[in-house]
Amino acid sequence: MLKTPRDLLIRHATLPDGRCGIDLLARDGYFAAIGPALPAPEGAEVLDADGWLFSPPFVDAHFHLDSTLSHGLPRTNDSGTLLEGIRLWGELKPLLTEEAVAERALAYCDWAVARGLLAIRTHVDVCDERLLAVRALLEVKRRVASYLTLQLVAFPQDGLLRSAGAEAQLKRALDLGVDVIGGIPHHERSAAEGAESVRRLAELAAERGLMLDLHCDETDDPASRHVETLALHTQRLGLQGRATGSHLTSMHSMDNAYAAKLVALIADSGLNAIANPLINITLQGRYDSYPKRRGMTRVPELMDAGVTVAFGHDCVMDPWYALGSADMLEVASMGLHVAQMTSQAAQQRCFEAVTTNPARILGLQGYGLEVGCRADGVLLQARSPQEALRLRAQRLLVLRGGQVLSRMVPAAAQLCLPGRPQVVDFTRQTPATPQTPPR
Ligand code: FE2
């Protein structure tokens, strides 16, 4: 357990909404005051943010903690496809031990904390009658609870209907304490069985009062339309705000007229969306020659329609993705590039897609930079969200409940050029857009 810290006053911070020179006072684990020039309570620890960006912590709305850091076990994914990744994971599953899964997951949690990532929704495979990964991750969730929020999703990786026993195992996992209901309709044996799996899972979510988050249409096939079914049942069963479609990559390849109707349907139904840009820019388009499709879902269009959209990391060093280091700024940067969200306003939305939006999708209580919120946050070596994205800024300080969890030294390079500054400063703010003078 973390000990209760004394008062902590952070001075001279810049906030993601652009306010500068802001002080934040953490008391008893919560923000007690936020504003300019706050008086320092007697005995408080004072940290000078020196104008750097203080953000609420990063949140990853889509991850697989049971497979993380297993890259190379028992072999690597040579084709780079989703399907070989699923086969490879199937080869690894019988070799797993509860201890090894927990040890790798805990190592990843350390990386996450150091990166200012303090809440993760992780899918956990239930297509194993031992429910070994479920037990391992429930134990990890308990062990990290004081400093990192884990939300577990019961995920039938091999198909709810396609894999014998999956439905019963999914319900057992929920009974053991797994929080959210998952699924993978595009991996069922047929489109009809995919639709049936969506119906059953949505009805189970309504019956148990749980959230629902389905891997949905993670394919280049524009005919994969399970998200339509998911939106329908979300509306029918009153799951607005509690149901999420993850990946949705087939939307990238759909006919524009159909996609326009679908985006409006998703917005009307209150369904959330999660794109996983690092993974889908590498997994999708593998059956294409040239031009190769990018494969990420229609992020700006969904955002414009009012859908809550998050970017997830999905995988780090596992059968599907050999790279990654728990860096949600890398995730958002890739999303920004793939979706061509380059304007200042669009970059701000990309930052929100790894902070406030996933916090809303997970239903995190007390998240944010408001008085009364838990005193969590990350001090970034950047002056704005846009600069944080450009530099994938150092996490100078990570806070949970007003207590420092991690520190990182500022990035600095020593130049050895005659007549030039000795220290290179990569920060450089975009000048404000000149305003047209009134006539
Ligand atoms: Fe996933």
Side-chain angles (χ1 to χ4, degrees):
M1 286 291 289
L2 298 176
K3 61 181 189 305
T4 306
R6 60 185 168 135
D7 287 355
L8 173 71
L9 182 63
I10 300 173
R11 287 231 182 269
H12 310 128
T14 300
L15 304 188
D17 63 9
R19 282 180 288 161
C20 301
I22 300 297
D23 299 347
L24 302 102
L25 176 66
R27 173 171 292 160
D28 298 330
Y30 295 87
F31 289 120
I34 298 174
L38 296 179
E42 199 180 322
E45 182 183 359
V46 180
L47 293 170
D48 190 352
D50 200 19
W52 296 125
L53 178 67
F54 188 79
S55 167
F58 296 111
V59 179
D60 186 356
H62 189 112
F63 196 66
H64 295 262
L65 206 47
D66 52 358
S67 58
T68 196
L69 308 191
S70 68
H71 178 64
L73 296 176
R75 61 182 177 85
T76 56
N77 180 341
D78 294 327
S79 70
T81 59
L82 171 70
L83 294 181
E84 183 173 351
I86 293 175
R87 276 199 304 276
L88 212 166
W89 175 239
E91 292 169 30
L92 177 56
K93 265 199 277 190
L95 310 177
L96 294 175
T97 66
E98 208 169 308
E99 294 72 27
V101 171
E103 186 275 323
R104 289 192 287 262
L106 281 167
Y108 185 81
C109 290
D110 292 343
W111 292 9
V113 169
R115 295 285 198 195
L117 168 55
L118 297 187
I120 301 172
R121 173 181 280 183
T122 172
H123 296 254
V124 51
D125 189 359
V126 297
C127 292
D128 160 26
E129 59 185 18
R130 301 166 299 168
L131 293 182
L132 180 148
V134 168
R135 293 178 201 283
L137 291 196
L138 283 169
E139 173 60 15
V140 170
K141 176 181 172 173
R142 191 188 62 75
R143 285 174 64 177
V144 304
S146 65
Y147 58 90
L148 174 68
T149 302
L150 290 184
Q151 195 174 78
L152 269 53
V153 185
F155 176 47
Q157 171 74 77
D158 299 326
L160 184 81
L161 304 173
R162 184 175 176 175
S163 172
E167 195 165 2
Q169 283 150 210
L170 183 144
K171 289 177 181 172
R172 271 174 54 213
L174 298 176
D175 293 340
L176 287 171
V178 169
D179 311 276
V180 181
I181 295 172
I184 185 165
H186 56 276
H187 194 56
E188 302 290 354
R189 282 170 292 216
S190 66
E193 287 202 349
E196 171 65 8
S197 80
V198 175
R199 184 186 66 77
R200 288 192 195 190
L201 292 164
E203 289 181 355
L204 186 61
E207 191 184 302
R208 295 211 180 196
L210 295 176
M211 290 189 281
L212 178 71
D213 186 342
L214 305 187
H215 283 64
C216 203
D217 303 325
E218 190 182 5
T219 164
D220 296 325
D221 175 7
S224 187
R225 296 180 168 190
H226 295 298
V227 64
E228 182 183 80
T229 310
L230 178 57
L232 173 80
H233 291 304
T234 297
Q235 208 161 31
R236 179 176 71 85
L237 297 164
L239 297 174
Q240 291 90 342
R242 285 164 45 201
T244 300
S246 279
H247 291 288
L248 311 179
T249 58
S250 68
M251 286 179 68
H252 188 271
S253 298
M254 284 172 182
D255 172 77
N256 286 333
Y258 173 71
K261 180 204 167 202
L262 180 60
V263 166
L265 176 67
I266 291 171
D268 285 352
S269 70
L271 185 67
N272 308 309
I274 300 172
N276 296 297
L278 288 168
I279 305 312
N280 290 127
I281 197 66
T282 47
L283 289 182
Q284 307 314 128
R286 289 282 179 164
Y287 305 100
D288 290 356
S289 57
Y290 286 94
K292 286 180 186 286
R293 285 167 288 178
R294 297 179 182 208
M296 191 169 76
T297 194
R298 303 189 183 211
V299 171
E301 292 79 5
L302 287 163
M303 287 178 168
D304 286 345
V307 177
T308 302
V309 183
F311 289 137
H313 207 318
D314 200 6
C315 302
V316 168
M317 297 189 70
D318 72 3
W320 294 273
Y321 188 63
L323 299 136
S325 66
D327 185 351
M328 295 309 291
L329 285 173
E330 182 186 18
V331 171
S333 174
M334 179 58 76
L336 182 161
H337 284 82
V338 176
Q340 300 178 321
M341 295 175 68
T342 51
S343 74
Q344 294 295 292
Q347 289 189 39
Q348 184 88 19
R349 290 167 118 186
C350 290
F351 191 83
E352 290 163 2
V354 291
T355 51
T356 49
N357 291 1
R360 193 174 312 130
I361 290 174
L362 267 66
L364 296 182
Q365 301 294 313
Y367 176 92
L369 300 183
E370 304 285 342
V371 171
C373 290
R374 195 170 55 197
D376 297 356
V378 55
L379 186 67
L380 296 159
Q381 192 186 2
R383 307 287 182 196
S384 66
Q386 291 80 1
E387 191 166 75
L389 287 164
R390 180 174 65 80
L391 299 176
R392 295 190 206 155
Q394 293 283 94
R395 282 65 165 176
L396 302 175
L397 206 64
V398 179
L399 278 192
R400 168 85 159 197
Q403 187 168 343
V404 177
L405 295 185
S406 172
R407 292 175 191 270
M408 208 180 258
V409 292
Q414 297 285 328
L415 265 193
C416 305
L417 294 173
R420 299 297 304 153
Q422 283 196 321
V423 177
V424 179
D425 179 3
F426 293 102
T427 63
R428 184 173 284 261
Q429 282 298 289
T430 306
T433 310
Q435 302 292 311
T436 311
R439 288 167 187 264

